[in-house]
Amino acid sequence: MNNLPWLLLLGVVLLGIVGQLTLKYGLQQNKSASLVVMLRSWPLWVWFVCYVAATGLWLMVLRELPLHQAFPALGLTYGLIPLASAVVLKERILFGQWWGIALIITGVALVVQS
């Protein structure tokens, strides 16, 4: 079994997480800035590079993995972004959100099994 597509899929998820965190960080840092100033900020460019790279990796993943396994795995971003934002951006996760995160991760694990 070739594990490379699964590693690429993990890369898509990680790039999505990094991209969303840097986008949020950049918007927090430039709350009152004009659109031109925001477009020049490094976090927005990191987000853009992550988005482009994730799209390229996603295309490679789709060549190798069945869509019914690959697409649900992207749901991990919905569970891992709140965890990463709690660590990096110091955002608070509420009790009900913990349950949701656990359900997402469990659901993805069940769906991607072959």
Side-chain angles (χ1 to χ4, degrees):
M1 179 172 143
N2 187 5
N3 289 328
L4 182 60
W6 291 102
L7 291 173
L8 295 176
L9 184 55
L10 179 62
V12 172
V13 170
L14 293 176
L15 285 168
I17 293 167
V18 170
Q20 290 303 315
L21 290 176
T22 55
L23 182 62
K24 174 71 174 182
Y25 176 79
L27 293 174
Q28 285 177 334
Q29 299 304 309
N30 297 301
K31 284 183 181 177
S32 60
S34 69
L35 181 60
V36 173
V37 171
M38 282 193 286
L39 289 174
R40 291 183 188 155
S41 69
W42 70 264
L44 196 68
W45 283 99
V46 170
W47 166 79
F48 180 73
V49 168
C50 286
Y51 179 78
V52 171
T55 301
L57 290 179
W58 179 243
L59 294 175
M60 294 182 344
V61 166
L62 287 179
R63 285 187 192 161
E64 302 294 327
L65 294 179
L67 188 60
H68 75 272
Q69 287 182 312
F71 189 74
L74 293 179
L76 281 176
T77 57
Y78 295 107
L80 298 178
I81 285 175
L83 296 176
S85 68
V87 172
V88 176
L89 301 174
K90 308 300 183 217
E91 294 183 352
R92 187 169 170 226
I93 300 176
L94 302 175
F95 180 75
Q97 291 170 314
W98 282 109
W99 278 105
I101 291 166
L103 286 172
I104 289 169
I105 293 171
T106 302
V108 169
L110 291 172
V111 170
V112 301
Q113 288 179 354
S114 10

